[in-house]
Amino acid sequence: MDEQAARLGLALRQAGIFDPPVLAAMQKTPRNLFVSETYQTHAWHDEALPIDCNQTISQPSLVAYMSVALKVSKRDKVLEIGTGSGYQTAILAHLCRRVYSLERHSILYKQARARFHTLGLSNITSMLGDGLKGWPQQAPFDRIMVTAAAETIPEELVNQLKIGGLMLLPLVEKNPTQPIAPEWDRAYAIQKLVRVTRLEQGFDCEELIAVQFVPLIAGIAK
Ligand code: SAH
């Protein structure tokens, strides 16, 4: 293993990540492939970085934390909302049977698809689409990971989970003194990562940690 991957492994352990399959997936996924020329020297650092279309690639320790918190197994069919660079998708691909990933920006969708091809990740199916609608043709899913901040728990997505299935999503904290935040204000609002469990009737919800994500926006980008 090269030095950069070893250093990232150390940073992840320091951040409290000890899950062997997740650590292995993080160390074998070349994050430099997922960021532009400008950020190559930072690619393996534990920090979020800008990608095209005003979006971000998440910090590796958060990608790892979410991969552990979603309790993904090799048998699982996973839906990801917000492909972005495709980095989180690639990590999930090593942990589960198949990942379906949706992105609303055509440029990001195409870049990510090319990266999956380069890396030979043949268990990823990605599509340009509105993640708020989910992927009904492929439902139900064992797991759903949303990597953009929602205002409320999207019912459409809960309905595409198997009973007992889990969904992880960043939710904007409601501020009772303010009306619903405009889309871009949401990125700077306080957000909580929430884990939803689908029950026979309805769902359960646990709050995990504070996070910062770009907003989940309805519709395909123009
Ligand atoms: N997991 C990504 C981080 C993505 S940032 C990575 O590792 O790089 C969040 C992404 O969600 C952005 O690319 C944004 O365009 C996308 N997004 C926001 N709303 C969406 C929606 N309704 N459907 C699909 N993708 C969406």
Side-chain angles (χ1 to χ4, degrees), residues 55-56 82 84-85 88 103-105 108 129-131 147 214-217:
Q55 307 298 317
T56 49
S85 67
Q88 173 79 75
E103 170 57 52
R104 67 186 289 277
H105 281 283
L108 297 177
D130 180 4
T147 66
V214 295
L216 186 67
I217 299 175

Side-chain angles (χ1 to χ4, degrees), residues 136-155:
Q137 299 82 350
Q138 294 299 340
F141 297 96
D142 299 286
R143 299 287 183 263
I144 299 180
M145 184 185 286
V146 183
T147 66
E151 199 77 57
T152 53
I153 296 175
E155 212 174 305

Side-chain angles (χ1 to χ4, degrees), residues 11-171:
L12 294 176
R13 285 183 193 87
Q14 280 167 350
I17 308 294
F18 298 103
D19 185 277
V22 170
L23 285 172
M26 301 287 300
Q27 291 186 298
K28 70 179 168 206
T29 303
R31 193 166 180 258
N32 49 291
L33 265 192
F34 295 82
V35 298
S36 66
E37 275 307 311
T38 321
Y39 299 105
Q40 286 303 310
T41 53
H42 289 248
W44 282 88
H45 295 184
D46 189 21
E47 50 190 79
L49 293 170
I51 55 172
D52 284 348
C53 309
N54 263 328
Q55 307 298 317
T56 49
I57 174 171
S58 304
Q59 189 175 356
S61 52
L62 181 57
V63 170
Y65 177 89
M66 288 174 68
S67 305
V68 175
L70 195 59
K71 303 181 185 174
V72 179
S73 93
K74 270 287 181 199
R75 293 181 305 275
D76 288 345
K77 180 173 169 184
V78 180
L79 173 66
E80 181 195 34
I81 310 298
T83 318
S85 67
Y87 181 63
Q88 173 79 75
T89 326
I91 301 298
L92 288 171
H94 289 298
L95 303 171
C96 71
R97 179 162 56 85
R98 178 156 285 278
V99 193
Y100 293 87
S101 185
L102 286 166
E103 170 57 52
R104 67 186 289 277
H105 281 283
S106 161
I107 293 175
L108 297 177
Y109 153 71
K110 286 182 188 151
Q111 289 172 344
R113 198 181 47 172
R115 289 170 184 141
F116 304 147
H117 184 74
T118 304
L119 292 172
L121 296 170
S122 56
N123 62 339
I124 297 174
T125 309
S126 61
M127 190 167 81
L128 178 69
D130 180 4
L132 277 165
K133 301 201 173 104
W135 199 319
Q137 299 82 350
Q138 294 299 340
F141 297 96
D142 299 286
R143 299 287 183 263
I144 299 180
M145 184 185 286
V146 183
T147 66
E151 199 77 57
T152 53
I153 296 175
E155 212 174 305
E156 198 55 45
L157 295 182
V158 178
N159 290 339
Q160 292 182 26
L161 266 182
K162 287 184 188 165
I163 307 292
L166 302 178
M167 171 165 76
L168 215 54
L169 82 163
L171 266 190

